[in-house]
Amino acid sequence: MLAEEYKRPEPLWPKKRLGEWFSIAKKGAGGWAFLLHRLTGILLVLYLFLHFYVLSTLSRGANAYDNLTVLMESPFLLLLELGLVAVIVYHGLNGIRLMLLTLNVGVKQQKEMFWVVMAITILTTIIAALFMF
Amino acid sequence: MGKPHVVIIGGGATGAALAHDLTLRGVRVTVVERGEVTSGTTGRHHGLLHSGARYAVKDQESAKECIQENMILRKIAPDTFELNNGLFVAITEEDMAYHSAFIDGLETCGIPYKEITPKEALQREPNLNPAVKAVVEVPDGTMDAMRLPLRFFATAQSNGAIIKTYTEAMELLMSGKTITGVRVRDHVTEKDYDIGADIVINASGAWSDKIAAMAGVHVPLQPSPGVLVAVYGRWNNMVLNRMHRSGDGDIILPQRTLSVIGTSSWVVKDPDQLEMKKEHIQLMYKMGSVLVPGVKHAKMRAAWAAARPLIGSEGEASTGRELSRTFKCFDHADHGGVEGFVTIAGGKATTARGMAEVTTDIVMKKLRMNVPCRTRDVVLLPHTAYYRRRM
Amino acid sequence: MAQRGSLAWLWQAFTGLLLVILLTLHMIANHFMANGLLTYEGIIQHLSNPVVLVLEILFLTSVIFHAMSGIRALILDWGVSKSVDNTVTRVLVVIGVLMLAYGVWLFTVIL
Amino acid sequence: MAEITFKIFRYKPGVIDSPRYDTFKVDVEDYMTVLDVLEKLRLDDPTLTYRHSCHHGSCGTCGMLVNGKEVLACVTNVMELGTPVVTVEPLKNAPLISDLVVDMVPFFEKYGPVEMPLIRESEYLPEGKPSEEVGTYTRLESCLECGLCLSACPMVATDPDYMGPAALAAAARVVQEPRGQDAPAILKMVDNEQGCWRCHSAMECSEVCPNDVDPGGMIMYLRQKLISRKLKGHY
């Protein structure tokens, strides 16, 4: 074969990989913070719609709403609600962490800040659990 | 296309400078390199922009080449070097005995220098061994061992040179006693193909004799590896050299955030079989800490070996230190009777441009072209220009 | 029309911060001050306080903006073209406005 | 010395079209790096392709995934990994040419336009007094242009048009020390959703950076600069 006839094929282009957002092959605390922030964000949007549905019963009078709240006293739903508390606290606190980072505050301590966020989240969840059960 | 075509075997500093010079003089150029560019010896050298002072006593031809090229490179590749100068320091009485011969050498070779007091040297380099007895400042510098050649490649490429990486020369195509091209293997696609050439230049450094053997000719070359050690931290800002005959571990070179201690020296037959000498790592630490005591406990980043391509016949050298660092160009029409084949061997990264100029002059004569060299003045493109979409 | 770059980010941060504050108030008001909001009557009574009503509407607005803007950020991270971005933004604005209108309507219905 | 199993990613267009892993058993000495092992393997199998040059973490060519993490092979000691099986793969988020070789052209298409000067003032040994002739000590920039940060970034994974950590860090360096470059123009260049506002502070780039460039921190620096400029413009 002569050089004129030879051509190396084009390199293989990678596809967009959504999995990287949710992959657990993380390199550091910041990666985990990102993953959790994204997951909790998505969960909260879903919850927002659910919350709208629950409140929509208000428009159908007292009975409809009160029937639903009785349902919500079930231990399973209470547990979900506890999860909700954890999700909200995490998303909120980490949101503050992200805001501080963007203002170039505590960038060197971002890992420690993540651990603080996690600690407060867990603590709040435990306190909430004591109130609920 | 009426332009003559030259194929360069070897994508190191020499190949890069050659591609640049040849394209400037109106030749079509193809470079073939079996790995990534600068993956052989070029990338692995310690990154010293030589002032020539190291060779000023024993190897004055090489020293003169170095200082001349040093000054040219500063002009054509601005902002590629840490131009912090270098110090030659005498620490022992033995070093002091070398002092006058050293100064004489610098004078003879025309290397600018300045003697400074040990006190001033310690002010400039606080980590230097306080036992220092005499200090001479010379225009050494640090280069980026990969990015300087990349600037040559980038400029050559923008002038039409084709650089083929992962393409290994397997065979030299000959018609009688004349080279007509190269059969190469693309390691990406595992396909062999032929590149026709008016002239083939063997710029494969320590591998030169292996390539020359494909044409049945011989290059007197001694691959001479040395071990280098990189440690974390920048222990000095200037290049620090021991003021004595070149020996093991006599230089500490700052580079980015690291310091590189070099080097040892021995000779091998096959530059691919570079077994690391473990005891040399300890030796580098030991000798390096004579210059800068602090490096004794510095954390090691890497230790590696690189094969210098030194000109010399087998048996002539036992460590490689005896051999000159100068370069030589072999037109194989005169060395072995093969037409259309030129080998450039020896030399240093600092002198790559000069090696290319001499070689290209010979190639021009062979091609019956008469175009003068312009590489002394043409400012090189930035290294990032090397990475552009290829056609 | 779409807010791009730093402005979108600043609004997201601003509403986020507002939500942290409002949600804290929301939780305190709803679960500690009031005797639980688990009955229809309780809610009516709670919302009859005009300060609570204003805060709740502010809360509603911020949460919808923050959520829609979050979804948009997620979609933009997918590396979509400007036209897709514009479409997505329009759709999200419509959804957001509808949700807000529905929320406000709910308040008017129950009061 | 110990025997370590290496699982090495192989792909060659037209030869190995669906990537596979080749397994090699190698006797590893305690000083050996992943790059040393690759060099050893290539003696027997010259078709094994990978990028390398300086062998001490200064050129940035030998970036690859070792056990799933972005590293420079030349400064990654095999024994210190502590795993009996070592997996070696090419960097992510870059076009794959062959085996462990990725195409760096897209990287430099983002990075090059920033035109960060290669030489900066040396901040090492500030007590040292350079000679009058030299004036100030200089050193080569920290960024090795290795592409590890782009491979680790979850945003680059889904948005190939995102400038990415390396180019943004270079931009931040120009803003910090313009050295003749046009810093306001660079700030304007990064102030958009494909620039420093695409980042979600996962900080994976800073986690894998082999030379303490801290690209994540540099992006935060750019954002703070942009926000304070914007706020100043409003009053």
Side-chain angles (χ1 to χ4, degrees):
Chain A
M1 192 175 12
L2 285 168
E4 290 72 36
E5 301 158 5
Y6 176 80
K7 205 162 186 281
R8 201 183 265 182
E10 284 294 304
L12 193 68
W13 274 86
K15 293 195 178 73
K16 290 181 183 179
R17 290 168 306 117
L18 196 62
E20 288 298 302
W21 295 355
F22 305 106
S23 138
I24 54 162
K26 295 297 175 202
K27 280 89 193 177
W32 283 103
F34 160 74
L35 169 64
L36 289 176
H37 200 76
R38 192 135 278 205
L39 281 178
T40 52
I42 293 168
L43 285 175
L44 284 171
V45 170
L46 296 177
Y47 171 73
L48 182 65
F49 288 113
L50 186 71
H51 199 55
F52 262 71
Y53 169 74
V54 169
L55 293 181
S56 74
T57 55
L58 284 171
S59 68
R60 280 183 266 132
N63 274 348
Y65 182 74
D66 288 343
N67 287 344
L68 202 67
T69 50
V70 171
L71 201 71
M72 277 163 71
E73 295 290 348
S74 82
F76 175 69
L77 282 176
L78 272 181
L79 208 65
L80 277 188
E81 210 165 307
L82 188 64
L84 179 69
V85 171
V87 162
I88 288 178
V89 173
Y90 174 79
H91 196 87
L93 288 176
N94 193 53
I96 293 174
R97 171 178 164 272
L98 292 177
M99 212 177 306
L100 288 176
L101 289 183
T102 284
L103 297 172
N104 204 12
V105 176
V107 176
K108 290 271 177 289
Q109 290 81 34
Q110 58 96 3
K111 284 183 190 179
E112 287 79 358
M113 272 156 66
F114 171 66
W115 297 123
V116 170
V117 166
M118 286 308 277
I120 299 179
T121 305
I122 292 166
L123 212 67
T124 321
T125 313
I126 291 170
I127 293 170
L130 292 177
F131 267 89
M132 280 169 148
F133 294 104
Chain B
M1 293 229 262
K3 283 184 183 177
H5 186 210
V6 171
V7 172
I8 300 167
I9 300 174
T14 319
L18 265 170
H20 173 54
D21 201 335
L22 285 162
T23 48
L24 276 185
R25 296 204 222 184
V27 175
R28 267 197 312 138
V29 173
T30 303
V31 181
V32 295
E33 162 60 48
R34 70 172 187 177
E36 176 61 280
V37 286
T38 73
S39 63
T41 305
T42 297
R44 299 186 210 191
H45 78 79
H46 40 25
L48 174 63
L49 176 69
H50 267 282
S51 63
R54 170 47 70 215
Y55 309 119
V57 176
K58 285 265 292 186
D59 188 0
Q60 296 191 337
E61 189 186 351
S62 182
K64 284 175 194 161
E65 288 162 11
C66 282
I67 186 63
Q68 194 192 351
E69 290 304 320
N70 181 315
M71 293 303 157
I72 294 171
L73 287 177
R74 285 166 190 249
K75 211 168 65 189
I76 63 170
D79 304 329
T80 321
F81 307 105
E82 297 178 2
L83 293 173
N84 297 333
N85 288 347
L87 298 179
F88 273 74
V89 297
I91 290 167
T92 63
E93 288 302 331
E94 264 179 303
D95 294 354
M96 286 306 288
Y98 185 74
H99 183 260
S100 64
F102 182 64
I103 298 292
D104 286 348
L106 293 175
E107 290 280 357
T108 316
C109 301
I111 299 167
Y113 70 94
K114 202 166 104 191
E115 288 202 70
I116 62 173
T117 61
K119 189 176 160 235
E120 196 185 342
L122 283 163
Q123 268 176 358
R124 293 193 200 170
E125 288 295 351
N127 288 336
L128 187 63
N129 188 342
V132 54
K133 290 189 166 61
V135 187
V136 178
E137 185 182 4
V138 292
D140 278 346
T142 300
M143 68 165 88
D144 188 302
M146 183 186 196
R147 285 167 183 81
L148 177 65
L150 279 189
R151 293 189 70 162
F152 280 112
F153 274 130
T155 316
Q157 198 172 239
S158 81
N159 290 326
I162 294 167
I163 296 141
K164 290 173 176 285
T165 50
Y166 306 102
T167 302
E168 183 166 1
M170 304 305 286
E171 211 181 302
L172 292 172
L173 304 172
M174 295 176 83
S175 141
K177 276 289 197 182
T178 305
I179 302 271
T180 58
V182 189
R183 174 157 300 157
V184 296
R185 176 169 298 163
D186 185 344
H187 286 309
V188 170
T189 56
E190 295 182 10
K191 286 203 169 57
D192 288 4
Y193 61 98
D194 294 343
I195 306 175
D198 295 299
I199 288 184
V200 172
I201 304 178
N202 171 12
S204 52
W207 288 262
S208 295
D209 198 24
K210 281 188 159 184
I211 298 290
M214 291 176 186
V217 294
H218 172 63
V219 177
L221 191 99
Q222 278 284 290
S224 163
V227 165
L228 298 104
V229 173
V231 296
Y232 281 93
R234 209 177 146 95
W235 292 87
N236 39 307
N237 276 315
M238 307 174 80
V239 181
L240 297 180
N241 301 273
R242 273 291 282 286
M243 193 194 296
H244 63 191
R245 288 220 321 273
S246 56
D248 294 334
D250 58 7
I251 179 169
I252 300 184
L253 191 108
Q255 191 183 95
R256 298 186 191 278
T257 59
L258 313 166
S259 303
V260 178
I261 314 171
T263 41
S264 61
S265 184
W266 71 96
V267 291
V268 294
K269 279 213 169 84
D270 182 354
D272 279 322
Q273 306 282 349
L274 279 185
E275 96 285 24
M276 195 48 206
K277 300 214 169 186
K278 252 159 86 177
E279 62 276 16
H280 285 205
I281 301 176
Q282 290 315 312
L283 185 66
M284 289 306 114
Y285 265 102
K286 189 174 150 237
M287 300 309 288
S289 60
V290 176
L291 272 170
V292 174
V295 300
K296 197 172 197 167
H297 301 294
K299 189 171 179 288
M300 187 171 92
R301 183 160 163 106
W304 72 102
R308 306 175 185 89
L310 300 183
I311 307 229
S313 303
E314 211 170 308
E316 196 183 321
S318 57
T319 66
R321 298 248 184 247
E322 309 87 337
L323 298 174
S324 168
R325 261 54 174 174
T326 189
F327 60 88
K328 205 166 169 200
C329 188
F330 302 89
D331 179 351
H332 290 289
D334 308 327
H335 292 84
V338 175
E339 196 40 72
F341 188 45
V342 176
T343 295
I344 171 72
K348 318 202 54 69
T350 304
T351 59
R353 191 217 60 87
M355 293 161 73
E357 180 178 342
V358 171
T359 311
T360 309
D361 284 345
I362 290 174
V363 170
M364 285 289 121
K365 219 173 272 166
K366 292 177 77 73
L367 291 171
R368 292 177 221 294
M369 289 168 72
N370 186 18
V371 188
C373 177
R374 293 202 286 131
T375 56
R376 284 164 192 265
D377 303 311
V378 174
V379 176
L380 302 172
L381 292 177
H383 74 279
T384 48
Y386 170 71
Y387 299 94
R388 59 173 180 78
R389 248 175 238 298
R390 295 179 177 82
M391 315 247 236
Chain C
M1 70 169 261
Q3 279 164 357
R4 293 185 158 261
S6 57
L7 212 56
W9 203 100
L10 282 173
W11 273 107
Q12 185 72 343
F14 175 68
T15 52
L17 200 62
L18 206 61
L19 282 173
V20 170
I21 297 163
L22 289 175
L23 195 66
T24 316
L25 289 176
H26 181 88
M27 292 305 275
I28 291 171
N30 292 11
H31 294 286
F32 295 103
M33 311 269 281
N35 299 321
L37 292 179
L38 291 170
T39 63
Y40 188 79
E41 287 301 317
I43 289 189
I44 303 285
Q45 205 188 358
H46 181 58
L47 286 179
S48 58
N49 182 343
V51 178
V52 170
L53 187 66
V54 168
L55 284 181
E56 287 297 308
I57 289 178
L58 195 59
F59 180 66
L60 180 73
T61 318
S62 311
V63 90
I64 290 171
F65 180 89
H66 195 82
M68 293 305 126
S69 165
I71 295 172
R72 175 170 171 268
L74 221 70
I75 292 168
L76 290 204
D77 286 345
W78 186 239
V80 297
S81 68
K82 267 203 163 79
S83 66
V84 174
D85 175 18
N86 286 341
T87 315
V88 163
T89 309
R90 276 193 203 105
V91 169
L92 288 174
V93 166
V94 170
I95 295 176
V97 168
L98 285 178
M99 284 177 85
L100 187 62
Y102 182 75
V104 172
W105 176 76
L106 260 185
F107 283 129
T108 58
V109 164
I110 56 180
L111 287 176
Chain D
M1 199 164 87
E3 192 186 70
I4 306 276
T5 305
F6 279 80
K7 275 177 66 187
I8 296 179
F9 181 95
R10 301 302 296 270
Y11 157 79
K12 284 181 186 296
V15 187
I16 311 170
D17 279 318
S18 42
R20 63 160 199 249
Y21 290 85
D22 280 358
T23 307
F24 303 88
K25 286 194 190 313
V26 186
D27 286 329
V28 177
E29 305 264 5
D30 55 5
Y31 66 81
M32 280 172 91
T33 63
V34 174
L35 183 56
D36 289 334
V37 170
L38 291 174
E39 291 275 271
K40 205 170 157 180
L41 290 174
R42 194 176 64 164
L43 291 180
D44 296 326
D45 180 2
T47 68
L48 177 65
T49 50
Y50 49 90
R51 301 179 70 225
H52 66 118
S53 178
C54 77
H55 290 236
H56 63 285
S58 185
C59 73
T61 49
C62 64
M64 50 190 80
L65 260 66
V66 174
N67 289 346
K69 192 182 172 188
E70 286 81 0
V71 294
L72 294 180
C74 64
V75 291
T76 305
N77 184 290
V78 179
M79 294 306 211
E80 281 171 17
L81 289 170
T83 52
V85 180
V86 174
T87 313
V88 185
E89 295 160 305
L91 291 181
K92 296 181 283 188
N93 305 337
L96 184 59
I97 292 179
S98 147
D99 296 338
L100 304 170
V101 181
V102 294
D103 191 356
M104 292 305 280
V105 170
F107 174 92
F108 281 95
E109 278 178 349
K110 299 171 201 285
Y111 185 90
V114 177
E115 289 183 33
M116 172 173 63
L118 196 58
I119 301 294
R120 68 191 276 184
E121 240 170 69
S122 171
E123 71 280 29
Y124 285 81
L125 301 169
E127 67 272 34
K129 285 193 203 73
S131 68
E132 275 171 36
E133 179 192 336
V134 171
T136 48
Y137 285 139
T138 55
R139 73 168 178 94
L140 294 164
E141 261 295 350
S142 293
C143 179
L144 307 178
E145 302 155 9
C146 58
L148 298 194
C149 52
L150 260 70
S151 173
C153 176
M155 285 304 115
V156 179
T158 51
D159 185 1
D161 295 328
Y162 171 36
M163 271 180 82
L168 289 171
R173 280 293 305 147
V174 172
V175 174
Q176 281 176 350
E177 276 178 40
R179 289 167 283 171
Q181 304 302 109
D182 186 357
I186 294 282
L187 265 180
K188 205 174 161 203
M189 182 169 104
V190 300
D191 185 15
N192 63 62
E193 75 283 3
Q194 308 285 31
C196 67
W197 300 104
R198 169 66 76 244
C199 168
H200 286 279
S201 315
M203 297 288 172
E204 298 282 54
C205 49
S206 297
E207 205 64 41
V208 299
C209 179
N211 220 25
D212 300 330
V213 173
D214 187 16
M218 293 302 244
I219 296 172
M220 298 305 126
Y221 168 84
L222 282 177
R223 285 182 171 184
Q224 183 242 320
K225 275 271 169 279
L226 286 168
I227 288 175
S228 64
R229 270 166 64 103
K230 213 147 279 177
L231 290 179
K232 274 185 196 127
H234 279 291
Y235 56 78

